[in-house]
Amino acid sequence: MPRYRAGVDRITGKPLTGYAHMEQCVAFIVQSMKGDVVMLYDLGADVDREIGRGMHRAMLLSLYARIISAIHTWEMEFRIRKIALVSMTRIGGLAVAIDGVYYPEGRYRNYKLIEPATLNIPLIAANLRGAA
């Protein structure tokens, strides 16, 4: 039986375990800016630097690189297989779809338990900067 990680939902305060907890953690990592989390100053993907600028291939590659690097650094239970831009708005909002593999016991370096995972993460400039 897998030893799932547990936590608390950031919005409702209800307990989270397993896949739902990993999904919240990945979204938090991607949507955080470096320096925002006390005592974990390197946590975050710094995608705010790319959002709201003109969209071109180099910017998109930089965005993907920041996301992949942050997730692989901070989330041991998830590995990315594919990442794609799924939506873009005129006011600087983006959303990415991330396909990967969820390892329920990855924090114990046990990579034998495998579950496929697909995450959709919105990246909206106002939300990333803490504005209402």
Side-chain angles (χ1 to χ4, degrees):
M1 182 168 153
R3 298 168 285 183
Y4 290 113
R5 195 167 64 179
V8 177
D9 187 288
R10 294 178 65 194
I11 298 169
T12 65
K14 294 181 180 177
L16 284 179
T17 60
Y19 185 91
H21 185 266
M22 178 276 304
E23 187 173 24
Q24 176 179 271
C25 289
V26 169
F28 180 74
I29 291 166
V30 172
Q31 294 171 344
S32 295
M33 295 175 283
K34 290 185 178 181
D36 281 355
V37 181
V38 177
M39 297 184 71
L40 291 175
Y41 293 115
D42 289 337
L43 183 124
D46 272 348
V47 297
D48 65 312
R49 295 180 185 192
E50 309 299 343
I51 294 180
R53 294 175 41 201
M55 180 67 70
H56 51 82
R57 286 185 185 150
M59 190 281 291
L60 195 56
L61 286 174
S62 175
L63 178 74
Y64 288 170
R66 289 175 192 273
I67 291 171
I68 292 167
S69 176
I71 291 172
H72 284 205
T73 299
W74 291 99
E75 184 55 65
M76 298 177 71
E77 296 183 355
F78 184 71
R79 287 295 171 254
I80 296 171
R81 297 287 184 233
K82 181 177 151 185
I83 185 169
L85 181 67
V86 292
S87 72
M88 182 170 52
T89 67
R90 294 185 63 121
I91 60 169
L94 302 173
V96 292
I98 302 173
D99 290 331
V101 178
Y102 168 52
Y103 299 100
E105 292 191 352
R107 70 198 173 286
Y108 300 118
R109 306 273 194 256
N110 178 3
Y111 298 106
K112 294 177 183 171
L113 297 173
I114 299 171
E115 295 178 25
T118 300
L119 310 174
N120 290 307
I121 301 174
L123 305 171
I124 301 169
N127 291 351
L128 294 173
R129 295 198 185 275

